[in-house]
Amino acid sequence: MAGSWDGGIDLGSQSDDSYHFERLHIEPIYDAFICPLTKQVMRDPVALENGQTFEREAIEKWFSECREAGRRPVCPLTQRELRSTELNPSIALRNTIEEWNARNEAVQLDMTRRSLNSGSSEQDILQALKFIQHLCQKSRSNKHVIRNEEMIPMIIDMLKSSFRKIRLKALETLRIVVEGDFDNKEIMAQGDTVRTVVKFLSNEQSKEREEAVSLLYELSKSEALCEKIGSVNGAILILVGMASSTSENIVAVEMADKTLENLEKSENNVRQMAENGRLQPLLRLLLEGSSETKLSMAAFLGDLVLNNDVKVLVARIVGSSLINIMKSGNVQSREAALKALNQISSYEASAKILIEAGILPPLVMDLIFTVGAHQLPMRLKEVSATILANVVNSGYDIYSVPVGPEQQTLVSEYIIHNLFFLISNTGPAIGCKLLQVLVGLTNSPVTVSSVVSAIKSSGATMSLVQFIETPQKDLRVASIKLLQNLSPHMGPELASCLRGASGQLGSLIKVISENIGITDEQAAAVGLLADLPERDMGLTRQMLVDGAFQLVISRIFRIRQGETRGNRFMTPYLEGLVKVLSRVTFALADEPNAIALCRDHNLAAVFLELLQTNGLDNVQMVSALALENLSQESKNLTKLPELPSPGFCVSIFPCLSNPTTITGLCTVHKGTCTLKETFCLLEGQAVGKLVALLDHTNEKVVEASLAALCTLLDDGVDIEQGVHVLCEAEGIKPILDVLLEKRTENLRRRAVWAVERILRSDDLAYEISGDPNISTALVDAFQHGDYRTRQIAERALKHVDKIPNFSGVFPNIS
């Protein structure tokens, strides 16, 4: 018996381990120790009046059953009626049993010690661990025995066993041993034990994870061990993952969550939790902690990388508190709050929450109004400017939010002037952020006019343009984006500045043509140039001299060839390039160099190809407009045929002459035409492609395409032949459909003009007159159009005999 756990007993026959260990005796057992009712060794023996001894709990239950059955109490052994149910403690017997148990447990404990080593069998080790559990559950004082016998390190060693059952039982045993015992937990804190337990959290076996996290929960009840657990690399990350898992065992999830709650006693652990996505403890300390704790948590929050959903959560919970610290704290506290607010404000939704919490007034106060001792250091003004840029660019309607002591708003002239003053008199870092503020203000159609007015009144236009040349990229990008927003409202002023001798135009072109992929700066730069007045001949000439159009053509070609890698700026960049290139077509009548450029680079063919860029409506629209401009010039560029001079006889006798026949002439322009040299739409086979765009969903594309087709019906060309060309391209019906649809007033005006020209063909007039819908549309234009449209509609109605020729109500116009 001394070296084995079996002792002739079937260890697997009892499911209750405590009962098994009660029956496992080293010394002989005496009958007097056994309760006749339970058949187990008694713990609290009591004697009846007849001297029979029983376990107190068992005999009390017996008497209760007698009473419930309506019987007088009897002795369970003799079945004789008892006069009294008084129970007398058998103190001597109890002491004897306790001494006997102590001797047995001492021997069993020695066996346990000898079994807890790698050389023992799996069964012996498991039984030893079970005995320790039984001993600790039997009495808390036995936990001291386990500690004093130095068995805790031996149990810990079992965590490294190659047998899964032993590792699992060791985790379970350690949890029981340390439960409610501070000294035993202290032993667990020594060495790498905690790290070993944490490793089990990543085990693929769910039962081992569950036991490990349950053990960590017990250990985390000790404040000293909280630091220890948190210091294990990855421990908090794994616990946070378990606590938020939807696939983990529910018990493990609850234990992980409770463990994390205990670990919150340590601020270092709270920081780690925040880093790993469990922010509530940090936010709670920021709201409820001491001043020092609030400062520490705010500073740490400012250094965290938060996802957007978390930024919204943080803004809702602690946004107001951080704003209050920013307004009233010392410099150190304000710095911590500003850094945290900078982090939170970088997402639009959370920035809007901060605006509603009142962040704008203190920000503007710090930047503009605060002076003297309360003024922020420059490094913090930069943070304030960054936050202001974030919230202004969030899309929130800030037009009416008061930010100054006299109820000024961000678009008040006084505020805008002060922002320009700071931009000019602080470093590039702050200047860049304040320019971004102005970018946000000019993004809104509600506030842009106020900014434009303030810029004009402050005379800051040239200063803004000069930023295009700054070497600081962020500052340059912000200025270009601002100028792009301003260009639709300040086009002439900006064009005047750019075409000067200072070199800003060249710097802008350099940005656009840099061969570095496509950046937001390039998209903004080309957008700025694209929005400047296209009929500003001075700017166009300067661009011709600087070779800007050649660079633009090169970039368009590379994009079309797939040599430039696409990204999210591809579309605005290409749209801008095409619009910049199209401005050269507005200078054809006044600038010979423009014509030469168009011929040298065959721009008519380029725009014809771009016309077919499906999905890019602006590219198609601008290309059609450019083709209109080019086609308008065709009648001036076509080469008229030179007729041979008549001979002497013919000059005397004209009847002898034969008419000269010249073939290969353009039927519309009556001369020699090519797409490259004269930009003729017929020669370029562009008519069909333009007709195809007349059913486009975008009205502006339709209008531009129709305008280009109308150049074939214009004065100075053979209108009858132009109509014939449209018939051959099946373009008559689409033009009539545009008239019938009445999508916009501009489209109707253009369609009425085209239909009137088409109806000059008697055959078509006769055919169309039979369609009542066309007549109705023309009557509607005659009644409700503007003065010019009504005149043209009247002529059209005359062509289809809806108005008599003698009833003209308007003077004839061409």
Side-chain angles (χ1 to χ4, degrees):
M1 181 68 190
S4 172
W5 281 100
D6 55 30
I9 298 173
D10 181 5
L11 298 179
S13 63
Q14 298 290 342
S15 60
D16 186 350
D17 285 330
S18 65
Y19 175 66
H20 160 70
F21 287 113
E22 289 293 337
R23 295 191 63 198
L24 189 56
H25 312 302
I26 306 303
E27 291 187 13
I29 189 169
Y30 300 95
D31 291 339
F33 292 177
I34 304 297
C35 172
L37 291 174
T38 65
K39 310 303 181 186
Q40 295 183 31
V41 176
M42 291 181 285
R43 292 190 179 89
D44 186 12
V46 290
L48 302 182
E49 62 180 25
N50 63 1
Q52 298 293 332
T53 305
F54 301 90
E55 180 71 59
R56 180 187 293 275
E57 184 179 348
I59 193 62
E60 286 177 346
K61 183 179 179 183
W62 170 266
F63 288 155
S64 176
E65 290 172 351
C66 288
R67 285 192 296 271
E68 289 173 1
R71 293 184 286 109
R72 299 276 298 174
V74 297
C75 173
L77 290 179
T78 64
Q79 293 298 311
R80 291 180 180 178
E81 186 176 324
L82 298 171
R83 289 174 297 175
S84 170
T85 57
E86 183 180 356
L87 303 176
N88 299 307
S90 299
I91 297 174
L93 178 59
R94 185 177 63 187
N95 291 339
T96 302
I97 291 173
E98 287 178 353
E99 291 172 0
W100 177 84
N101 273 330
R103 288 193 300 273
N104 274 289
E105 286 177 355
V107 176
Q108 290 169 334
L109 203 57
D110 182 63
M111 289 175 58
T112 298
R113 167 187 287 280
R114 283 184 280 116
S115 295
L116 289 178
N117 64 75
S118 58
S120 298
S121 69
E122 178 183 12
Q123 185 70 0
D124 281 351
I125 295 173
L126 288 174
Q127 289 303 328
L129 293 172
K130 288 179 182 179
F131 175 70
I132 294 173
Q133 291 183 19
H134 158 73
L135 212 56
C136 292
Q137 289 167 336
K138 181 178 178 181
S139 171
R140 289 191 63 178
S141 62
N142 285 336
K143 296 184 180 184
H144 303 169
V145 174
I146 298 298
R147 180 176 67 251
N148 294 335
E149 291 291 327
E150 298 182 348
M151 298 185 71
I152 295 177
M154 300 173 72
I155 303 171
I156 292 171
D157 284 342
M158 294 300 104
L159 296 175
K160 301 173 185 177
S161 171
S162 58
F163 295 102
R164 175 177 171 269
K165 288 183 179 179
I166 292 177
R167 295 194 302 270
L168 194 60
K169 186 61 68 175
L171 287 168
E172 183 184 327
T173 305
L174 287 170
R175 173 176 55 81
I176 294 170
V177 168
V178 301
E179 192 172 8
D181 193 300
F182 178 79
D183 292 330
N184 286 355
K185 289 175 182 176
E186 285 291 299
I187 295 175
M188 287 285 294
Q190 298 170 6
D192 282 344
T193 304
V194 173
R195 193 158 72 89
T196 302
V197 176
V198 168
K199 284 182 180 180
F200 280 96
L201 297 179
S202 301
N203 197 290
E204 60 183 20
Q205 298 293 334
S206 61
K207 191 62 180 174
E208 290 190 26
R209 291 199 302 273
E210 181 183 327
E211 286 297 341
V213 74
S214 298
L215 173 55
L216 285 174
Y217 170 60
E218 284 301 324
L219 296 176
S220 68
K221 294 176 182 179
S222 163
E223 191 165 341
L225 272 165
C226 284
E227 288 280 359
K228 183 78 174 182
I229 295 170
S231 67
V232 176
N233 186 32
I236 289 179
L237 171 61
I238 298 171
L239 286 168
V240 169
M242 290 181 71
S244 59
S245 174
T246 56
S247 59
E248 189 67 70
N249 181 303
I250 186 64
V251 175
V253 171
E254 291 177 358
M255 285 294 104
D257 193 61
K258 290 180 179 179
T259 303
L260 288 167
E261 288 177 6
N262 289 339
L263 295 180
E264 291 174 18
K265 301 183 188 82
S266 162
E267 288 189 11
N268 286 333
N269 291 345
V270 170
R271 293 187 184 93
Q272 282 196 67
M273 291 178 202
E275 284 179 326
N276 292 295
R278 188 180 174 97
L279 270 168
Q280 290 84 351
L282 182 144
L283 301 181
R284 190 160 48 247
L285 288 178
L286 208 157
L287 289 172
E288 303 169 1
S290 64
S291 298
E292 293 78 8
T293 298
K294 288 181 179 180
L295 172 60
S296 172
M297 294 299 110
F300 188 76
L301 183 61
D303 293 330
L304 280 179
V305 177
L306 306 176
N307 66 43
N308 290 336
D309 290 340
V310 172
K311 290 175 186 175
V312 172
L313 173 70
V314 173
R316 285 179 179 152
I317 296 175
V318 298
S320 296
S321 297
L322 290 170
I323 292 169
N324 289 333
I325 295 173
M326 180 188 77
K327 289 192 292 187
S328 56
N330 55 33
V331 173
Q332 188 179 12
S333 298
R334 292 169 76 187
E335 178 175 5
L338 283 169
K339 287 184 176 179
L341 289 167
N342 183 28
Q343 170 77 264
I344 303 167
S345 66
S346 59
Y347 178 51
E348 290 181 1
S350 51
K352 291 177 182 178
I353 295 171
L354 294 178
I355 294 172
E356 293 171 353
I359 195 172
L360 278 174
L363 280 177
V364 176
M365 189 69 66
D366 282 342
L367 285 167
I368 294 176
F369 295 103
T370 304
V371 294
H374 295 288
Q375 190 171 6
L376 283 176
M378 275 299 174
R379 60 185 173 81
L380 295 188
K381 279 197 173 186
E382 180 184 345
V383 181
S384 292
T386 304
I387 299 170
L388 184 59
N390 289 341
V391 298
V392 169
N393 283 279
S394 67
Y396 190 94
D397 182 11
I398 60 172
Y399 184 79
S400 59
V401 179
V403 297
E406 298 179 7
Q407 299 301 299
Q408 299 102 323
T409 68
L410 270 179
V411 292
S412 298
E413 189 172 86
Y414 177 80
I415 300 293
I416 299 295
H417 285 179
N418 274 277
L419 289 177
F420 278 121
F421 176 81
L422 287 172
I423 290 169
S424 301
N425 292 278
T426 57
I430 295 178
C432 169
K433 298 305 177 184
L434 295 180
L435 282 172
Q436 290 175 9
V437 171
L438 295 175
V439 170
L441 293 175
T442 54
N443 279 335
S444 168
V446 178
T447 55
V448 62
S449 58
S450 299
V451 178
V452 168
S453 176
I455 290 173
K456 289 181 177 179
S457 66
S458 66
T461 307
M462 192 64 208
S463 297
L464 288 175
V465 172
Q466 288 174 344
F467 279 122
I468 295 174
E469 295 184 288
T470 185
Q472 288 86 12
K473 182 178 178 180
D474 289 344
L475 185 61
R476 186 176 67 243
V477 171
S479 67
I480 291 173
K481 287 182 177 179
L482 175 58
L483 292 171
Q484 181 190 10
N485 288 351
L486 296 173
S487 58
H489 311 276
M490 299 179 61
E493 295 91 334
L494 296 179
S496 176
C497 293
L498 284 171
R499 66 172 178 259
S502 301
Q504 285 85 15
L505 178 60
S507 298
L508 200 61
I509 297 297
K510 182 180 178 182
V511 169
I512 293 170
S513 60
E514 281 183 340
N515 187 23
I516 52 172
I518 300 175
T519 65
D520 59 337
E521 180 184 14
Q522 289 181 303
V526 76
L528 162 60
L529 204 51
D531 286 338
L532 295 178
E534 63 269 5
R535 298 187 184 277
D536 188 314
M537 290 300 106
L539 183 60
T540 302
R541 288 191 184 98
Q542 186 66 49
M543 292 175 66
L544 284 166
V545 171
D546 292 348
F549 293 111
Q550 288 89 333
L551 291 172
V552 170
I553 293 168
S554 172
R555 294 298 284 173
I556 292 175
F557 179 79
R558 295 191 63 181
I559 291 174
R560 298 294 291 171
Q561 294 296 316
E563 296 179 20
T564 300
R565 180 171 45 87
N567 58 28
R568 61 195 176 102
F569 303 112
M570 171 71 83
T571 296
Y573 183 65
L574 179 59
E575 290 175 347
L577 287 174
V578 174
K579 194 171 181 183
V580 170
L581 184 59
S582 72
R583 75 177 294 122
V584 76
T585 67
F586 290 89
L588 297 174
D590 304 309
E591 185 57 54
N593 289 335
I595 294 177
L597 178 81
C598 291
R599 285 173 168 170
D600 292 343
H601 295 277
N602 198 5
L603 287 196
V606 172
F607 285 117
L608 189 56
E609 181 185 353
L610 291 168
L611 188 69
Q612 302 168 78
T613 311
N614 294 325
L616 297 179
D617 293 3
N618 288 336
V619 171
Q620 291 180 300
M621 177 193 69
V622 172
S623 298
L625 288 174
L627 288 170
E628 177 196 4
N629 292 338
L630 290 165
S631 182
Q632 285 280 14
E633 199 63 23
S634 294
K635 59 191 175 188
N636 301 321
L637 298 176
T638 188
K639 296 179 181 179
L640 298 177
E642 294 184 5
L643 297 176
S645 58
F648 174 76
C649 293
V650 173
S651 62
I652 297 176
F653 304 104
C655 61
L656 299 176
S657 65
N658 293 319
T660 304
T661 302
I662 302 176
T663 59
L665 298 181
C666 175
T667 58
V668 174
H669 301 114
K670 301 302 182 182
T672 303
C673 284
T674 64
L675 181 64
K676 181 177 181 181
E677 296 295 326
T678 66
F679 321 133
C680 178
L681 297 183
L682 273 68
E683 297 301 320
Q685 300 180 348
V687 177
K689 295 168 184 174
L690 289 166
V691 167
L693 290 177
L694 292 181
D695 68 345
H696 201 284
T697 56
N698 188 322
E699 293 89 351
K700 292 183 178 180
V701 175
V702 176
E703 184 180 346
S705 301
L706 182 57
L709 290 170
C710 285
T711 60
L712 302 177
L713 307 174
D714 210 351
D715 296 333
V717 304
D718 190 323
I719 297 175
E720 183 178 354
Q721 287 299 317
V723 172
H724 179 68
V725 168
L726 290 176
C727 284
E728 287 187 336
E730 300 182 354
I732 303 300
K733 185 180 183 304
I735 292 175
L736 296 175
D737 289 342
V738 172
L739 174 66
L740 293 174
E741 289 171 1
K742 296 186 291 186
R743 292 162 74 175
T744 67
E745 187 58 37
N746 283 341
L747 263 179
R748 179 167 76 169
R749 186 183 303 113
R750 183 76 71 176
V752 167
W753 186 92
V755 169
E756 189 277 326
R757 296 283 168 134
I758 291 169
L759 292 175
R760 293 182 187 185
S761 167
D762 293 339
D763 291 342
L764 285 174
Y766 176 78
E767 182 180 342
I768 293 171
S769 65
D771 188 341
N773 293 324
I774 300 298
S775 299
T776 301
L778 289 171
V779 169
D780 184 69
F782 175 66
Q783 292 176 341
H784 303 108
D786 59 22
Y787 181 81
R788 172 76 174 172
T789 302
R790 290 166 65 192
Q791 287 181 305
I792 299 171
E794 181 193 13
R795 290 208 302 269
L797 287 167
K798 287 180 180 179
H799 295 319
V800 292
D801 295 330
K802 298 300 179 182
I803 295 179
N805 282 329
F806 57 80
S807 64
V809 295
F810 296 108
N812 286 332
I813 61 172
S814 57

